[in-house]
Amino acid sequence: MRAVDEALATPVRLTQYAHGGGCACKIPPGELEEIVAGLTHAPPSARHASRLVVGMETGDDAAVVALPGPGPGGTAVVVTADFFTPVVDDPYDWGRIAAANALSDVYAMGGQPVVAVNLLAWPREVLPFELAREVLRGGLDIASEAGCHMGGGHSVDDVEPKYGMAVTGIADPARLLRNDTGAPGTPLSLSKPLGLGVLNNRHKATGERFEQAVSTMVALNRGAAEAAVGAGATCATDVTGFGLLGHLYKMARASGVTAVIDAAAVPYLDGARAAVRDGYVSGGTRRNLEWVAPHCDFGDADEETRLLLADAQTSGGLLIAGEIPGAPVVGELVARREDTLVIRG
């Protein structure tokens, strides 16, 4: 245990070993859509009774396959994977955040995670494995909190540390949450405040620790998902690297509606606006804003508000077409207009 104690006693700023941090490292949405265009799924042969319910077509949060089984609807299997470079310096917190973020994709589909496997990349000649163990311990603790089995995983030697999970869950195929089923006249609710990206970027640059950001990122989206399914909602997504505007644009586009956001109703973490004013805005956030700008009527929203609405979140909340307890209503879906997104207030 002495080597473990010594490794953990020596301060290591994990965020300095990666070119970016968290979901802000995602490939820009516009570039990603160009990459996957035309990569359609080949239907399985007739002998397979399963069917792909949610695939690549709308860029939803996870893949869903319906299996035949007891009952009228059978069972839906929900599959996803998510990993990223360090978003905070503390290895245990990074593990917890990455795990909560990966599990969120299953919750965003209205599912329950069942089993996960670790995905770990580690610069073995640069960083001690005792730190990697702390990352894995954080992931295990969050998986246990979610009631999700942890079944091993895969690791590689890499120049940058990366961690996440591949997660398999189950759902009722008749009660899925999807990003293409939004209907006009439906309110929009957001289960976590925005501002995670700019606070994480400030942390990376200065070493300042923001407990409000960490506690938000490690919180599971399980309660919000269960409330949404219980309320009869059918449309949702989680808000991560493409920001609120990016994920909402994908939802509205896929559903054939326009989304109206009340900027004054959107909740933000303490310190988020100050971080924007002080210049701690990631390149990912600016690319998000650039991507949605041609499809958005920003009204009187100033640059600070636009950047926060496009802020690249890590382990953000669920954006739900519907109302649930504890989640503020931040806008509504309306009949399709010229612009896919409209900002008011």
Side-chain angles (χ1 to χ4, degrees):
M1 292 296 294
R2 183 177 179 181
V4 175
D5 293 339
E6 289 178 353
L8 297 180
T10 304
V12 174
R13 295 211 55 210
L14 285 175
T15 57
Q16 304 309 297
Y17 290 85
H19 72 285
C23 291
C25 287
K26 279 188 172 182
I27 294 175
E31 293 180 23
L32 184 60
E33 290 190 345
E34 291 180 7
I35 293 169
V36 302
L39 298 178
T40 56
H41 171 72
S45 63
R47 71 177 183 275
H48 291 286
S50 63
R51 61 188 179 92
L52 185 67
V53 178
V54 179
M56 296 172 56
E57 293 77 15
T58 64
D60 218 324
D61 295 291
V64 180
V65 173
L67 303 177
T75 300
V77 177
V78 184
V79 182
T80 186
D82 208 311
F83 62 95
F84 47 68
T85 54
V87 69
V88 293
D89 290 326
D90 184 278
Y92 177 72
D93 283 345
W94 175 33
R96 293 196 296 157
I97 292 165
N101 183 76
L103 293 166
S104 181
D105 284 339
V106 176
Y107 293 131
M109 304 302 298
Q112 170 62 44
V114 174
V115 62
V117 292
N118 292 300
L119 303 173
L120 177 69
W122 200 256
R124 50 184 293 274
E125 295 184 357
V126 178
L127 292 173
F129 272 123
E130 289 79 10
L131 297 179
R133 185 183 188 280
E134 284 298 289
V135 176
L136 295 171
R137 185 171 71 88
L140 177 61
D141 282 355
I142 289 296
S144 297
E145 181 183 338
C148 178
H149 296 290
M150 179 63 71
H154 184 68
S155 62
V156 296
D157 187 356
D158 196 2
V159 295
E160 286 186 326
K162 303 177 183 72
Y163 175 65
M165 291 178 174
V167 187
T168 300
I170 57 173
D172 182 342
R175 305 179 75 186
L176 288 174
L177 299 175
R178 305 172 53 131
N179 72 352
D180 62 353
T181 54
T186 309
L188 291 168
S189 302
L190 181 64
S191 69
K192 289 185 183 181
L194 301 183
L196 292 164
V198 290
L199 291 179
N200 288 339
N201 212 32
R202 186 166 203 152
H203 171 69
K204 177 178 172 64
T206 68
E208 297 173 77
R209 181 176 170 88
F210 300 99
E211 294 294 344
Q212 70 273 30
V214 173
S215 62
T216 297
M217 289 185 286
V218 302
L220 294 173
N221 280 322
R222 175 174 54 192
E226 291 174 350
V229 172
T234 63
C235 183
T237 186
D238 66 348
V239 179
T240 54
F242 299 154
L244 174 65
L245 291 184
H247 289 284
L248 181 56
Y249 170 63
K250 291 173 65 177
M251 175 193 286
R253 182 182 62 179
S255 298
V257 297
T258 286
V260 180
I261 288 292
D262 179 1
V266 176
Y268 301 102
L269 288 166
D270 291 342
R273 286 193 175 274
V276 174
R277 289 194 292 269
D278 292 340
Y280 296 103
V281 179
S282 69
T285 291
R286 295 190 184 280
R287 290 189 291 270
N288 290 341
L289 189 57
E290 180 181 2
W291 183 54
V292 300
H295 315 284
C296 187
D297 175 2
F298 287 105
D300 296 328
D302 58 22
E303 184 70 6
E304 180 180 300
T305 298
R306 297 183 189 193
L307 287 168
L308 282 169
L309 292 176
D311 188 38
Q313 306 297 279
T314 296
S315 193
L318 295 191
L319 178 65
I320 301 161
E323 292 188 58
I324 64 169
V329 172
V330 298
E332 63 176 333
L333 300 179
V334 299
R336 189 74 167 89
R337 301 178 183 176
E338 180 179 354
D339 295 297
T340 309
L341 302 177
V342 176
I343 311 301
R344 292 176 179 166

